[in-house]
């Protein structure tokens, strides 16, 4: 087999694993939080972060997936800690929203990330894009407004948490560019995850005890009632790390444009699979709104590429 064919198979395998991990985490989150009735999104996030901390250490220190980068100063540590707390808030918010919203609508709202990224980039760095780029954000937001009106399972609190999680995710990406902008302080995404994850776990432990004090009791009870729940939680946590690892590897082995297209398609695939699995009702208006958002995101990506 030629080297080009081997490379194509390798990249295709990475993309499949990336899709499977991302969509798997979403669906298993929904299964645990709604179907199993395990309504503890903060504890669930702590499990994800614990798995990311352990598996990042194994991957980088023992398996040498990427070279280990060390933190150079207390200032750099504080910057990473700030990013960790913002990232942690976005994951918690996303998990809370899945208690109340179907995965399909959750993905529709999540597709507005470019809008918040552009907004925070302008507010925090005064970075301006071409007017065409901003015009492409109109259907991104408009599509979600239309999808919200046509969503049979719309829940206001779930929607607010989902929007907050999406905004926090965008804020983290902009903040990361500002805080870790110097060459000495830059960390690749896997090393950043290695340092962010344990900080997130430390922050989440007291939050779990204060806000979800009966989690262990319910966890044991549901584990006895549902034989495979513990296995689902373990698989879910491993997939959370796999999603980060494969995202890094896909980014490394493909172009930015390819990643943009694949990311848009991933959201659409997640929507279709979630509707088939969970049988949540959808309307023509909702589908139309989500389609408008995805097309707007695709146009935004293309406009950024052309007018940068």
């Amino acid at each position: 087999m030629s080297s080009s064919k081997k490379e194509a198979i390798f990249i295709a395998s990475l993309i499949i694993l990336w899709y499977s991990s991302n969509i798997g985490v979403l669906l298993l989150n929904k299964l645990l939080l709604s179907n199993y009735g395990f309504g503890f999104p903060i504890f669930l996030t702590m499990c994800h972060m614990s798995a990311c901390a352990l598996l990042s250490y194994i991957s980088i220190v023992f398996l040498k997936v990427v070279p280990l980068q060390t933190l150079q100063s207390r200032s750099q540590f504080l910057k990473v800690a700030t990013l960790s707390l913002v990232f942690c808030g976005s994951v918690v918010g996303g998990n809370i929203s899945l208690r109340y919203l179907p995965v399909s609508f959750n993905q529709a709202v999540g597709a507005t990330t470019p809008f918040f990224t552009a907004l925070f980039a302008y507010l925090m760095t005064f970075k301006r894009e071409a007017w065409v780029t901003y015009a492409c954000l109109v259907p991104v937001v408009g599509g979600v407004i239309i999808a919200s009106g046509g969503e049979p399972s719309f829940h206001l609190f779930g929607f607010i948490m989902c929007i907050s999680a999406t905004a926090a995710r965008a804020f983290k990406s902009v903040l990361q560019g500002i805080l870790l902008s110097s060459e000495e302080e830059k960390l690749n995404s896997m090393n950043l995850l290695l340092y962010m994850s344990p900080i997130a776990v430390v922050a989440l432990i007291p939050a779990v005890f204060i806000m979800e004090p009966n989690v262990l009791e319910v966890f044991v009870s549901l584990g006895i009632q549902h034989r495979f729940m513990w296995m689902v939680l373990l698989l879910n946590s491993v997939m959370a790390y796999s999603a980060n690892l494969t995202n890094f590897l896909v980014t490394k082995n493909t172009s930015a444009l390819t990643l943009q297209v694949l990311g848009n398609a991933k959201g659409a695939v997640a929507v279709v699979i979630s509707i088939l699995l969970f049988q949540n009702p959808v309307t023509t208006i909702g589908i139309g709104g989500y389609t408008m958002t995805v097309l707007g995101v695709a146009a935004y990506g293309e406009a950024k590429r052309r007018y940068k």
Side-chain angles (χ1 to χ4, degrees):
M1 189 182 292
S2 66
S3 59
S4 59
K5 274 190 176 180
K6 284 181 180 177
E7 187 182 358
I9 291 171
F10 174 69
I11 291 174
S13 302
L14 275 181
I15 292 168
I16 290 169
L17 188 56
W18 180 45
Y19 270 40
S20 302
S21 300
N22 275 273
I23 295 170
V25 168
L26 267 174
L27 299 179
L28 290 178
N29 281 350
K30 183 65 178 175
L31 187 68
L32 286 164
L33 292 166
S34 295
N35 294 47
Y36 277 165
F38 186 69
F40 300 99
I42 301 175
F43 179 80
L44 183 61
T45 305
M46 191 182 77
C47 291
H48 289 176
M49 293 297 102
S50 300
C52 286
L54 176 63
L55 295 174
S56 291
Y57 186 79
I58 292 170
S59 297
I60 295 173
V61 176
F62 292 106
L63 301 180
K64 313 284 186 189
V65 173
V66 291
L68 175 66
Q69 296 172 290
T70 56
L71 295 180
Q72 301 296 319
S73 63
R74 186 184 175 193
S75 167
Q76 189 183 15
F77 170 77
L78 291 174
K79 291 173 181 178
V80 171
T82 303
L83 290 172
S84 177
L85 295 176
V86 175
F87 175 65
C88 194
S90 73
V91 177
V92 170
N95 286 341
I96 290 173
S97 74
L98 283 171
R99 284 188 65 189
Y100 305 98
L101 299 176
V103 174
S104 53
F105 186 58
N106 178 282
Q107 286 293 283
V109 177
T112 60
T113 302
F115 166 76
F116 290 105
T117 304
L119 178 65
F120 288 129
Y122 178 74
L123 293 175
M124 296 166 68
T125 67
F126 303 106
K127 180 185 174 185
R128 293 188 179 185
E129 305 282 358
W131 69 269
V132 177
T133 308
Y134 288 123
C136 292
L137 290 172
V138 174
V140 172
V141 178
V144 168
I145 292 170
I146 292 169
S148 302
E151 175 54 53
S153 308
F154 182 82
H155 189 285
L156 181 58
F157 178 70
F159 176 73
I160 291 170
M161 293 310 299
C162 196
I163 282 284
S164 301
T166 304
R169 195 159 53 242
F171 180 63
K172 182 251 174 188
S173 67
V174 175
L175 195 62
Q176 183 176 328
I178 296 170
L179 295 182
L180 303 178
S181 56
S182 67
E183 285 302 318
E184 307 83 54
E185 291 187 332
K186 272 186 181 175
L187 297 169
N188 64 48
S189 61
M190 295 315 299
N191 274 277
L192 185 59
L193 187 66
L194 171 68
Y195 293 113
M196 279 170 48
S197 303
I199 296 170
V201 172
V202 170
L204 287 168
I205 288 173
V208 168
F209 280 109
I210 293 168
M211 302 174 73
E212 300 174 347
N214 62 330
V215 61
L216 294 179
E217 180 187 336
V218 175
F219 177 64
V220 172
S221 172
L222 284 174
I224 295 168
Q225 188 180 341
H226 302 283
R227 276 192 310 168
F228 298 108
M229 198 195 83
W230 295 348
M231 289 299 295
V232 170
L233 181 60
L234 178 62
L235 178 62
N236 182 236
S237 300
V238 172
M239 275 189 167
Y241 173 71
S242 177
N244 285 284
L245 175 63
T246 51
N247 183 70
F248 171 77
L249 293 173
V250 170
T251 305
K252 186 179 176 183
N253 288 279
T254 64
S255 67
L257 180 60
T258 303
L259 193 72
Q260 175 82 33
V261 173
L262 290 172
N264 294 339
K266 178 168 60 67
V269 172
V271 167
V272 173
I273 292 175
S274 70
I275 291 170
L276 292 174
L277 280 179
F278 295 110
Q279 301 290 306
N280 55 284
V282 290
T283 63
T284 306
I285 295 174
I287 293 171
Y290 178 66
T291 303
M292 183 190 293
T293 295
V294 171
L295 292 175
V297 170
Y300 172 77
E302 179 63 18
K304 278 201 75 170
R305 188 179 70 82
R306 286 193 180 189
Y307 296 98
K308 67 180 178 181

